[in-house]
């Protein structure tokens, strides 16, 4: 399945239209409360943070670790009734489930030079999207250099200098990092007519503007607690000393940072600017809404989100075409449609191709989920 009609063009000029309607993201759940962190002080200042501190004792994510949609679908399974997840009558009304990182990847596509692969699964009338590694990315992970691992660890270590376990406790970088620990919020929003539920790892809650109590322990209380909290995004970057560094920062970094933050309603990024030896020497707050202005010669947020909207339309269109191919033009009860999977591959600077995909060869939704999820609708 890769005829001309299944190609989605990616040229930025096609998507240079007014910004689509995007709802303010609403927190509907959380994952990993024990890893929730707090940012007590946020300011522009000179510092001396050594990101190499205890780097030899870091617990890193195994490079072969493939989490697929595991944490998100466990959350959906635990909260199915509360969220009232049902099978829609038409595919146009499907809810799209994914991670924020996947949406960031899609929004960046009109400017992307690296290929990507996304698998789409139609199950009980809703759509699950999951990124898969390309052959090149698998090779990079397998042969990740010590320097690459160090750069990754520096980002986590910076968080330890800024974030604490409780609102009234100072950060403690004098302990080894566990890079597996993460706190995520689960959001719901709409993009034009698309309903989306997605999980996103969150760095920490700001405590510098007003007093913030510690999080409660019961689910409903935690959910209420999170609603009015302001999160901050933490980043590290090398000092920008030369024109080519400025250009790279504005062309690539700012686009990804803006998309990541905008998708979860974050207004402020705290960046630690470091030298080549991993010493953060300057903290700078960045207003998220300023990023598109400073980078307008390289990328346009309207293009990013119009492409995201069009990609979602394209996925639904490809599923409709696939069902017609299998079942003809008759009206189909989406509850009765077996798991259907498609693969979307980016050919950089050209198009996205839709290709057949065998879920059995690389299962993304596990058997326990396929056999139990949606059972409450049958009662």
């Amino acid at each position: 399945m890769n005829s001309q009609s299944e190609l989605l063009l990616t040229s930025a000029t096609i998507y240079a239209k007014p910004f689509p309607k995007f709802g303010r993201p609403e927190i509907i759940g959380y994952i990993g409360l024990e890893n929730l962190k707090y940012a007590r002080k946020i300011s522009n200042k000179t510092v001396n943070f050594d990101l190499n501190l205890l780097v030899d004792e870091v617990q890193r994510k195994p490079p072969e670790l493939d989490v697929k949609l595991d944490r998100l679908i466990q959350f959906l399974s635990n909260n199915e009734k509360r969220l009232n997840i049902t099978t829609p009558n038409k595919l146009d009304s499907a809810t799209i489930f994914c991670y924020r990182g996947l949406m960031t990847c899609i929004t960046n596509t009109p400017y992307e030079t690296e290929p990507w692969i996304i698998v789409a699964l139609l199950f009980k009338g809703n759509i699950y999207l999951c990124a898969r590694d390309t052959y090149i990315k698998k090779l990079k992970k397998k042969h990740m250099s010590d320097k690459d691992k160090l750069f990754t660890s520096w980002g986590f270590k910076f968080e330890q200098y800024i974030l604490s376990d409780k609102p009234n406790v100072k950060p403690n970088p004098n302990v080894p990092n566990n890079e597996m620990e993460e706190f995520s919020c689960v959001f719901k929003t709409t993009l034009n007519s698309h309903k989306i539920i997605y999980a996103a790892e969150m760095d920490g809650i700001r405590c510098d503007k007003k007093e913030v109590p510690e999080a409660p322990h019961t689910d409903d209380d935690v959910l209420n607690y999170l609603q009015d909290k302001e999160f901050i995004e933490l980043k590290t970057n090398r000092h920008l000393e030369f024109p080519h560094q400025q250009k790279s920062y504005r062309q690539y970094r700012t686009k990804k940072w803006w998309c990541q933050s905008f998708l979860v309603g974050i207004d402020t990024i705290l960046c630690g600017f470091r030298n080549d030896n991993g010493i953060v020497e300057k903290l700078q707050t960045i207003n998220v809404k300023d990023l598109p202005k400073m980078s307008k010669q390289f990328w346009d947020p309207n293009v990013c989100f119009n492409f995201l909207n069009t990609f979602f339309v394209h996925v639904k269109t490809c599923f409709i075409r696939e069902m017609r191919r299998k079942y003809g033009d008759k009206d189909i009860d989406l509850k009765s449609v077996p798991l259907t999977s498609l693969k979307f591959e980016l050919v950089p600077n050209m198009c996205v191709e839709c290709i057949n995909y065998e879920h059995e060869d690389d299962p993304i939704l596990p058997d326990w989920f396929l056999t139990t999820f949606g059972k409450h609708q049958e009662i």
Side-chain angles (χ1 to χ4, degrees), residues 13 16 18 20 29 35 45 48 63 96 107 150 160 164 187 201 211 233 307 316 327-328 342 352 365 370 375:
T13 54
N35 299 318
K45 62 180 180 180
N48 183 30
I96 294 167
T107 55
L150 187 62
Q160 270 195 323
S164 7
F187 295 87
E201 188 179 348
E211 193 172 328
E233 183 77 19
F307 182 80
K316 292 176 181 177
Y327 311 112
L342 295 172
V352 175
L365 298 181
L370 296 174
K375 286 293 183 188

Side-chain angles (χ1 to χ4, degrees), residues 77-96:
S77 179
N78 294 344
N79 294 275
E80 182 179 0
K81 287 186 182 177
R82 175 176 73 82
L83 299 177
N84 192 28
I85 298 170
T86 57
T87 300
N89 293 324
K90 293 191 173 179
L91 206 51
D92 287 344
S93 304
T95 298
I96 294 167

Side-chain angles (χ1 to χ4, degrees), residues 250-278:
R250 295 184 183 211
Q251 189 168 2
Y252 302 110
R253 286 295 175 100
T254 58
K255 170 166 43 70
K256 187 176 180 182
W257 291 3
W258 177 83
C259 287
Q260 283 179 328
S261 298
F262 184 80
L263 281 167
V264 294
I266 285 177
D267 299 322
T268 308
I269 295 169
L270 179 67
C271 185
F273 284 96
R274 60 165 180 81
N275 63 22
D276 288 333
N277 298 317

